[in-house]
């Protein structure tokens, strides 16, 4: 809690006038990110109806009544708490419940959106940013039908403990010397989708790394006290902790830490929709999965999900859909997450090495871990939640490869989810999800299917042809980083924590 208080005090001392960081922000528009309406999109790609696809993908045409037997005819709005893990997904994973499969795919695609919209190009001065404006985010990604409205982008400052994670431009004139775009917060706003879900869902999606795995070697395996509550025995891997809590007061994008940004925005949304049936769902892949679990724990620990309604209080359920995530904290951290009621579904590929770190030797599988933790052993880690372990060798579409990036790829995980029906059941695509998506950022599909590897990119790499015939990379509209009410909402989080939790 000391870090919670000091972070706000330092900020208010540094920033007497919030407008120095937000000079053009309209403070009356705090529902969603405020962007300029002056934007022109490149001409949309032509959609071609491919009548020859079935002959190329013979396995997709197959049907199997045995695999269809697990279709759940109940409406989602009647069983949404089960799907969010209130019973730890008991009876839903083997055989795979059809509604749960769809939910895993849906939240996985919301995490994938972080990759599809991120500028990885080191030759671009916008490297490290989101390529799209917030108000057009889902539209540009072909996800307008998801029923969500993006309310805030999340940023983090460059971290000395994870130098290989941050994407930096090779140019001298760039958008920020310190920040990287890390994800977003969104809320369900489509009334039909809200009725289908049975509640208004708040989503936090954290970006990981789609191809670069060098950050794994940066993990020092050193545990750092969380300090989100007065219990120093709850510890988190130091690199994850720093990425989540570090800020740079001279940068308009990360004058608030990622932690402060997400807590302030969750608090704002909860109060805006006070009295409604709400859920908080946090998703991420790879390092983004670590941030998803860390932020879920933080939200629950400061009781941001507890809403007081006079005589009684309501607890908003928190669920994490984790894809290929590493271990985050020690055994005490795992036990505290369980006590707080955080539900975590970890989707993994048994051939992926990332979920095995940190804590390769001393982890939740080690018989004497409790005794190791009792003596404050600094390299003891434990996974949180329920694991859905998949195996990419079961898919007839994927080739044998030793490329670690393929086994770790998020789109490959979603492909495996689509084909999984339970242990010892044959792989069969249930939703007929396009297998070409697997090769967006890797080379994993068998060559028989004619899908080129690494095919996902902007047309002409974002270059456009001017009226005079010359080609150029257009300037992007400036994105306002942080709304001016961030300090206010984060201050309310602090006040609540101090008054209700008796913290200093």
């Amino acid at each position: 809690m000391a870090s919670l208080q000091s972070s706000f005090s330092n900020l208010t001392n540094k920033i007497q006038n919030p407008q120095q960081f937000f000079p053009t922000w309209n403070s009356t528009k705090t529902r969603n990110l405020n962007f300029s309406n002056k934007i022109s999109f490149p001409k949309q790609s032509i959609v071609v109806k491919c009548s020859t696809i079935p002959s190329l993908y013979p396995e997709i045409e197959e049907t199997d009544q045995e695999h269809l037997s697990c279709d759940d005819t109940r409406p989602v709005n009647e069983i949404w708490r089960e799907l969010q893990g209130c019973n730890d997904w008991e009876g839903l994973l083997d055989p795979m419940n059809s509604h749960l499969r769809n939910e895993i795919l849906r939240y996985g695609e919301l995490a994938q959106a972080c990759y599809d919209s991120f500028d990885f190009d080191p030759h671009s001065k916008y490297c490290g940013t989101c390529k799209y404006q917030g108000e057009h985010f889902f539209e540009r990604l072909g996800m307008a039908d998801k029923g969500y409205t993006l309310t805030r982008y999340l940023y983090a400052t460059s971290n000395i403990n994870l130098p290989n994670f941050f994407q930096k431009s090779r140019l001298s004139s760039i958008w920020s010397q310190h920040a990287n775009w890390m994800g977003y917060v969104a809320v369900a706003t489509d009334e039909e989708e809200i009725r289908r879900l049975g509640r208004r869902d708040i989503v936090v999606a954290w970006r990981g790394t789609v191809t670069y795995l060098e950050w794994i070697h940066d993990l020092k395996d050193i545990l750092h006290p969380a300090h989100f509550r007065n219990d120093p025995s709850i510890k988190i891997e130091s690199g994850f902790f720093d990425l989540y809590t570090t800020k740079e007061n001279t940068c308009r994008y990360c004058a608030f830490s990622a932690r402060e940004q997400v807590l302030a925005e969750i608090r704002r949304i909860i109060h805006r929709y006070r009295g409604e049936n709400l859920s908080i769902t946090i998703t991420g892949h790879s390092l983004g999965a670590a941030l998803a679990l860390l932020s879920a724990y933080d939200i629950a620990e400061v009781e941001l999900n507890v809403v007081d309604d006079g005589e009684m209080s309501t607890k908003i359920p928190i669920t994490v859909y984790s894809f290929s995530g590493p271990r985050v904290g020690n055994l005490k951290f795992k036990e505290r997450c369980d006590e707080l009621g955080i539900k975590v579904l970890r989707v993994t590929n048994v051939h992926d090495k990332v979920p095995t770190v940190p804590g390769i030797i001393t982890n939740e599988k080690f018989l004497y871990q409790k005794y190791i933790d009792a003596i404050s052993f600094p390299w003891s880690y434990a996974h949180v939640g329920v694991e859905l372990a998949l195996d990419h060798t079961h898919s007839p579409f994927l080739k044998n490869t030793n490329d670690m990036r393929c086994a770790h790829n998020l789109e490959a995980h979603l492909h495996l989810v689509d084909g999984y029906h339970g242990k010892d059941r044959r792989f069969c695509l249930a939703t007929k999800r396009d297998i070409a998506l697997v090769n967006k950022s890797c080379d994993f599909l068998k060559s028989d299917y004619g899908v080129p590897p690494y095919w996902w990119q902007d047309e002409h790499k974002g270059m456009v042809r001017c009226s005079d015939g010359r080609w150029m990379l257009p300037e992007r509209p400036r994105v306002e980083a942080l709304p001016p009410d961030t300090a206010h909402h984060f201050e309310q989080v602090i006040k609540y924590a101090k008054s209700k939790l008796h913290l200093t």
Side-chain angles (χ1 to χ4, degrees):
M1 186 60 203
S3 65
L4 191 70
Q5 178 66 58
S6 63
S7 61
F8 182 75
S9 299
N10 292 339
L11 178 68
T12 52
N13 289 334
K14 292 275 187 180
I15 306 177
Q16 298 299 323
N17 178 18
Q19 292 305 316
Q20 65 180 293
F21 286 93
F22 323 112
T24 62
W25 190 274
N26 183 346
S27 61
T28 63
K29 296 183 179 180
T30 57
R31 279 187 59 191
N32 304 317
L33 286 172
N34 186 22
F35 301 96
S36 169
N37 292 323
K38 296 180 180 179
I39 182 170
S40 58
F41 293 140
K43 189 174 181 180
Q44 295 296 313
S45 300
I46 299 174
V47 178
V48 180
K49 294 183 178 180
C50 301
S51 59
T52 59
I53 289 298
S55 64
L56 292 174
Y57 303 161
E59 293 92 338
I60 295 181
E61 292 186 298
E62 298 180 7
T63 58
D64 191 332
Q65 292 303 317
E66 174 191 354
H67 293 89
L68 298 178
S69 62
C70 300
D71 282 359
D72 196 332
T73 58
R74 297 172 295 174
V76 171
N77 56 26
E78 290 184 5
I79 59 170
W80 72 267
R81 292 184 184 275
E82 295 177 48
L83 297 176
Q84 291 291 97
C86 70
N87 297 321
D88 295 317
W89 295 281
E90 184 177 353
L92 299 179
L93 294 171
D94 190 12
M96 172 63 77
N97 179 275
S98 58
H99 285 321
L100 179 58
R101 176 189 292 105
N102 290 335
E103 289 299 276
I104 296 172
L105 291 175
R106 189 166 68 88
Y107 288 114
E109 288 169 353
L110 289 170
Q112 179 66 38
C114 292
Y115 291 137
D116 294 345
S117 60
F118 186 67
D119 192 337
F120 287 94
D121 186 2
H123 301 287
S124 168
K125 67 179 180 180
Y126 301 109
C127 181
T129 68
C130 179
K131 293 184 286 188
Y132 310 127
Q133 289 188 299
E135 62 186 32
H136 302 290
F137 182 82
F138 290 117
E139 176 188 351
R140 294 298 306 273
L141 292 169
M143 301 173 68
D145 60 343
K146 294 295 182 183
Y148 287 81
T149 297
L150 192 147
T151 65
R152 165 171 288 186
Y153 284 153
L154 300 171
Y155 296 89
T157 185
S158 182
N159 184 273
I160 59 172
N161 289 324
L162 295 169
N164 286 302
F165 174 71
F166 276 76
Q167 304 298 308
K168 291 292 186 181
S169 174
R170 295 175 183 173
L171 304 180
S172 58
S173 177
I174 59 176
W175 69 286
S176 172
Q177 295 287 347
H178 304 282
N180 254 210
W181 182 78
M182 291 302 301
Y184 62 89
V185 182
V187 62
T189 52
D190 181 78
E191 292 302 323
E192 184 176 343
E193 180 67 3
I194 292 170
R195 285 192 296 271
R196 187 188 74 83
L197 293 174
R199 83 279 186 191
R200 188 183 297 274
D201 188 36
I202 304 168
V203 167
V204 181
W206 292 99
R207 179 180 67 83
T209 176
V210 67
T211 56
Y212 303 101
L213 298 181
E214 290 85 352
W215 65 267
I216 296 173
H217 305 296
D218 296 330
L219 295 179
K220 303 298 189 295
D221 288 7
I222 299 173
L223 289 160
H224 187 290
H227 292 314
F228 299 162
R229 195 87 184 255
N230 291 336
D231 187 350
S233 67
I234 299 172
K235 297 181 180 180
I236 297 162
E237 198 281 327
S238 59
F240 302 151
F241 178 83
D242 288 347
L243 182 61
Y244 185 59
T245 59
T246 303
K247 59 187 174 183
E248 173 56 55
N249 289 333
T250 62
C251 177
R252 57 190 296 271
Y253 293 94
C254 45
F256 293 88
S257 67
R259 181 195 187 205
E260 293 165 350
Q261 294 170 49
V262 74
L263 291 182
E265 184 63 5
I266 293 294
R267 192 261 177 194
R268 186 190 69 80
I269 294 174
I270 289 174
H271 278 257
R272 172 173 172 74
Y273 297 107
R274 197 181 189 94
E276 294 191 25
N277 217 10
L278 300 176
S279 64
I280 299 173
T281 311
I282 311 178
T283 185
H285 168 256
S286 190
L287 191 147
L291 291 174
L293 178 56
L294 182 51
S295 55
Y297 161 69
D298 193 9
I299 291 167
E301 189 67 281
V302 299
E303 295 191 6
L304 196 55
N305 65 319
V306 177
V307 180
D308 292 323
D309 295 322
E311 298 180 356
M312 60 179 294
S313 61
T314 303
K315 197 170 187 179
I316 301 170
I318 300 175
T319 303
V320 176
Y321 283 90
S322 165
F323 298 88
S324 190
R327 295 185 181 93
V328 174
N330 64 354
L331 182 61
K332 284 282 189 180
F333 172 77
K334 181 246 189 253
E335 291 172 345
R336 183 57 180 161
C337 286
D338 292 341
E339 290 174 6
L340 292 168
I342 301 166
K343 301 301 179 180
V344 182
L345 182 59
R346 297 187 300 108
V347 181
T348 65
N349 178 357
V350 296
H351 301 283
D352 183 15
K353 300 303 181 185
V354 173
T356 67
V357 298
I360 295 177
I361 299 175
T362 51
N363 54 55
E364 70 281 353
K365 299 176 183 178
F366 182 56
L367 183 62
Y368 302 105
Q369 186 179 33
K370 282 195 174 183
Y371 303 103
I372 289 290
D373 272 29
I375 60 173
S376 298
F377 187 69
W379 302 287
S380 177
Y381 288 80
H383 269 307
V384 180
V386 177
E387 182 180 27
L388 173 60
L390 307 172
D391 187 337
H392 72 243
T393 63
H394 294 171
S395 169
F397 302 95
L398 306 180
K399 62 185 179 183
N400 293 325
T401 177
N402 293 322
D403 190 337
M404 181 179 173
R405 295 170 297 179
C406 291
H408 186 61
N409 186 272
L410 176 55
E411 284 287 4
H413 278 68
L414 300 184
H415 168 73
L416 296 179
V417 169
D418 193 20
Y420 178 81
H421 296 269
K423 293 179 180 177
D424 302 321
R425 290 177 179 244
R426 186 171 65 85
F427 188 97
C428 180
L429 297 178
T431 71
K432 305 297 184 285
R433 194 169 191 274
D434 189 355
I435 65 169
L437 297 173
V438 172
N439 266 15
K440 284 167 76 172
S441 57
C442 68
D443 184 9
F444 208 178
L445 284 177
K446 291 178 179 177
S447 58
D448 304 355
Y449 301 112
V451 179
Y454 304 97
W455 60 264
W456 181 268
Q457 61 180 345
D458 292 335
E459 186 176 13
H460 307 308
K461 293 193 173 182
M463 296 286 285
V464 297
R465 195 172 188 180
C466 303
S467 57
D468 60 4
R470 292 183 301 168
W471 288 84
M472 63 170 291
L473 188 66
E475 295 288 332
R476 292 180 189 166
R478 186 168 63 92
V479 177
E480 293 295 344
L482 303 171
D485 61 354
T486 300
H488 165 73
H489 288 294
F490 186 64
E491 182 180 16
Q492 296 307 307
V493 173
I494 294 174
K495 287 183 177 179
Y496 180 88
K498 291 180 67 175
S499 62
K500 298 294 184 181
L501 306 180
H502 307 293
L503 300 177
T504 57

